[in-house]
Amino acid sequence: SAYLLTGEERYAEGVCRHLKAWFVDPGTRMNPNLQYAQAIFGRVSGRGTGIIDTIHLMEAVRAAMAVRHSPCLKTILPDVRTWFSEYLTWISTHPYGIEERDAKNNHATCWAMQAAVFAQFVGDEKTLAFCRRRFKEILLPGQMAADGSFPQELERTKPYGYSLFNLDAMATLCQVLSTPEDDLWTFA
């Protein structure tokens, strides 16, 4: 981030303006749920598959962490963390979130990736431990074949793209969830 490179507060203030607009200000903030994600007019008012669309919110968390020492962030950080804590609760308890968590393909990986990043941001050690176990016991053995392929992704319309997408999400999980005692990069 430019803030990290230069130390200029104006860059942090730009991040803070966006965080405040999207997650804090009552007049503009998003609701911490995706009740209406991927709605189809006349068919469904929302669906769990829309949760994958919030993987980009991980960038907002990363931006907040990059400017964490800025005075502007300190004033809104509790509210931003509250928003992500509420969203994490929603994706962990709402039927749409549970449906995504239990999917057999990249949707489950992306649910875990988001849950892990948001849990790390809000200090939710219980969810981080849950995601570590899920990676080792369900995601990796349930999705990756012995040859390293992702059979569920290979059956889709764009098998190469979906395989790379899932691999990227798996790698992000390894990066976010690894600890000195539990290195997911070397898990077999």
Side-chain angles (χ1 to χ4, degrees), residues 88 92 101 108-109 111-117 119 124-139 173 176-177 184:
L88 182 58
S92 299
R101 180 197 70 202
T109 311
W111 180 95
M113 179 176 65
Q114 290 180 74
V117 168
D124 183 344
E125 293 298 326
K126 183 178 174 185
T127 298
L128 287 167
F130 174 81
C131 290
R132 269 185 214 98
R133 279 191 314 277
R134 191 158 188 84
F135 176 84
K136 293 188 281 188
E137 297 171 7
I138 295 172
L139 296 176
L173 279 170
V176 171
L177 294 172
L184 297 184

Side-chain angles (χ1 to χ4, degrees), residues 54 57-58 61 84 87-88 91 114-123:
T54 55
L57 294 182
M58 295 185 319
V61 167
F84 278 97
Y87 182 65
L88 182 58
I91 66 170
Q114 290 180 74
V117 168
F118 303 153
Q120 186 180 55
F121 181 60
V122 302

Side-chain angles (χ1 to χ4, degrees), residues 71-88:
C72 75
L73 185 66
K74 290 178 183 177
T75 63
I76 63 169
L77 186 58
D79 292 328
V80 175
R81 281 195 168 128
T82 295
W83 190 96
F84 278 97
S85 181
E86 290 173 2
Y87 182 65
L88 182 58

